[in-house]
């Protein structure tokens, strides 16, 4: 949504969010026309920067782009994005997980509003008038404070929902999704009963999806299916499978997603299809020929 809005902007944009990651700013800037003016408002709180929810490198990206300025307001909590005469507002920060560019992604909302909305314009203008311009000196001071926090053993886990995460191109690697629970709850026994490569793949998948300890089998199932359901590639597959998704097209989608894969693309598709049928048996089914995956929408 934001990238499409950036692509069609002609005059100016305003990006307002407490948490801003450099990778997101780079992607938005790449879509903007060079003559579009940009104001960005964020906050630099040392603990948040130390946790990784915001990047000081955004200052360098803004400084390198003509007609662009970065303002700071440590009371900021609003998330508001304007491109010409259209606003996008909601819960999403400018982070990969908030925007669905990293998986598992956060559950967020962004909706459109008229760029002439007087309340939103007033908020934007008030923030621009009362926020502090960022400069290199202040950036360096925040960096010094961040370094002190890290040396003191700062724990970033309370802010983990906005940081880390898998690349949006991540794919499962264990060919036997029904064995994942066994690996999670009784690793030693599962290792004796599984092929070593499948066991290691299962262990890696569970680790990548950041599954916490102490879950019941039902909780584990819900965590795994929830993470899978949030993957951008799975959402794309869902749409295409409504009319039938053959293996050739599925391989194309996986290849287009990019990212490193430990197996051939067709093997990665076979694994992903197995996961989808295991975790969503009421939604996905493979045709008897084994070549076409179909999705049916579940109501209620």
């Amino acid at each position: 949504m934001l990238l499409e809005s950036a692509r069609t902007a002609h005059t100016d944009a305003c990006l307002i969010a407490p948490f801003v990651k450099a990778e997101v700013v780079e992607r938005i800037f790449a879509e903007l026309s060079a003559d579009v003016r940009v104001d960005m408002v964020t906050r630099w709180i040392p603990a948040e920067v130390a946790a990784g929810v915001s990047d000081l490198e955004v200052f360098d990206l803004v400084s390198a782009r003509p007609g662009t300025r970065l303002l700071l307001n440590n009371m900021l909590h609003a998330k508001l994005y304007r491109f010409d005469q259209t606003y996008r507002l909601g819960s999403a920060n400018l982070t990969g997980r908030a925007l669905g560019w990293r998986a598992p992604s956060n559950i967020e909302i962004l909706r459109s509003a008229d760029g002439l909305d007087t309340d939103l314009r007033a908020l934007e203008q008030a923030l621009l008038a009362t926020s502090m311009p960022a400069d290199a000196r202040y950036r360096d001071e925040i960096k010094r404070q961040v370094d002190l926090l890290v040396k003191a053993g700062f724990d970033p886990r309370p802010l983990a929902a906005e940081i880390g995460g898998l690349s949006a191109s991540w794919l499962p690697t264990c060919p036997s999704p029904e064995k994942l629970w066994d690996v999670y709850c009784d690793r030693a026994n599962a290792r004796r009963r599984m092929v070593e490569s499948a066991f290691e793949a299962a262990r890696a998948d569970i680790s990548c999806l950041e599954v916490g300890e102490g879950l019941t089998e039902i909780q584990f199932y819900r965590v795994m299916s929830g993470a899978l359901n949030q993957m951008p590639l799975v959402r794309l597959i869902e749409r295409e499978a409504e009319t039938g998704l053959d293996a050739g097209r599925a391989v194309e989608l996986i290849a287009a997603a990019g990212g490193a894969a430990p197996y051939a693309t067709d093997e990665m598709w076979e694994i992903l299809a197995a996961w989808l049928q295991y975790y969503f048996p009421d939604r996905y089914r493979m045709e008897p020929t084994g070549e076409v995956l179909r999705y049916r929408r579940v109501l209620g």
Side-chain angles (χ1 to χ4, degrees), residues 26-73:
E26 284 184 308
R27 289 184 66 175
I28 292 175
F29 281 3
E31 298 297 336
L32 284 169
S33 172
D35 55 359
V36 171
R37 302 184 308 277
V38 179
D39 287 320
M40 184 182 300
V41 186
T42 188
R43 71 189 192 199
W44 283 349
I45 295 176
E48 294 173 351
V49 176
V53 298
S54 281
D55 292 336
L56 296 178
E57 291 79 7
V58 169
F59 175 79
D60 298 319
L61 295 173
V62 169
S63 298
R65 188 181 187 278
T68 305
R69 61 174 178 162
L70 178 64
L71 304 173
L72 303 174
N73 189 320

Side-chain angles (χ1 to χ4, degrees), residues 15 30 55 80 102 135 142 189 191 193 224 230 270:
L15 309 174
D55 292 336
L80 182 66
R102 286 187 172 271
D135 59 28
I142 295 296
N189 190 41
R191 186 166 209 155
R193 294 160 46 196
M224 297 297 283
Q230 291 179 49
E270 291 175 4

Side-chain angles (χ1 to χ4, degrees), residues 101-104 165-174 180 201-210 224 227-229 231-234 254 257-262 268 271-272 275:
W101 300 349
R102 286 187 172 271
L166 300 168
S167 164
S169 61
W170 179 85
L171 290 170
T173 59
C174 178
L180 291 167
R203 191 172 68 167
D205 288 337
I206 293 169
S207 176
C208 285
L209 294 176
E210 301 173 354
M224 297 297 283
L228 190 63
N229 198 45
M231 292 172 57
L233 179 59
V234 169
I254 291 174
M268 298 302 295
I271 293 171
L272 179 57
W275 278 54

Side-chain angles (χ1 to χ4, degrees), residues 38-244:
V38 179
D39 287 320
M40 184 182 300
V41 186
T42 188
R43 71 189 192 199
W44 283 349
I45 295 176
E48 294 173 351
V49 176
V53 298
S54 281
D55 292 336
L56 296 178
E57 291 79 7
V58 169
F59 175 79
D60 298 319
L61 295 173
V62 169
S63 298
R65 188 181 187 278
T68 305
R69 61 174 178 162
L70 178 64
L71 304 173
L72 303 174
N73 189 320
N74 279 3
M75 298 301 293
L76 181 65
H77 188 70
K79 296 90 175 175
L80 182 66
Y81 313 108
R82 181 179 58 78
F83 298 89
D84 290 344
Q85 300 303 314
T86 300
Y87 278 111
R88 307 289 188 187
L89 68 156
S91 64
N93 281 288
L94 293 180
T95 68
R97 291 184 75 161
L99 297 176
W101 300 349
R102 286 187 172 271
S105 56
N106 302 342
I107 298 174
E108 308 275 7
I109 184 171
L110 280 177
R111 71 174 186 85
S112 300
D114 193 306
L116 298 178
D117 184 292
T118 55
D119 291 335
L120 295 179
R121 279 285 180 174
L123 173 61
E124 178 185 334
Q125 293 304 317
L127 281 170
L128 295 179
T130 60
S131 299
M132 177 185 77
D135 59 28
R137 183 205 60 78
Y138 188 67
R139 185 269 315 273
D140 294 342
E141 173 58 23
I142 295 296
K143 178 65 166 62
R144 185 187 70 82
Q145 295 180 39
V146 168
D147 291 341
L148 290 174
L149 283 173
V150 173
K151 285 182 179 179
F154 172 72
D155 181 4
R157 286 177 294 179
L159 293 167
E162 293 286 353
I163 62 176
L166 300 168
S167 164
S169 61
W170 179 85
L171 290 170
T173 59
C174 178
S176 305
E178 71 280 1
K179 299 292 187 182
L180 291 167
W181 167 250
D182 295 335
V183 174
Y184 174 81
C185 69
D186 190 351
R187 182 173 297 180
N189 190 41
R191 186 166 209 155
R192 289 193 295 269
R193 294 160 46 196
M194 294 175 66
V195 174
E196 183 69 15
S197 59
F199 171 81
E200 291 297 340
R203 191 172 68 167
D205 288 337
I206 293 169
S207 176
C208 285
L209 294 176
E210 301 173 354
V211 180
E213 298 180 358
L215 300 181
T216 66
E217 186 170 3
I218 291 176
Q219 290 171 330
F220 177 82
Y221 185 94
R222 287 177 176 170
V223 167
M224 297 297 283
S225 60
L228 190 63
N229 198 45
Q230 291 179 49
M231 292 172 57
L233 179 59
V234 169
R235 294 198 292 268
L236 180 59
I237 285 172
E238 175 184 305
R239 290 196 295 270
E240 298 225 2
E242 288 184 350
T243 55

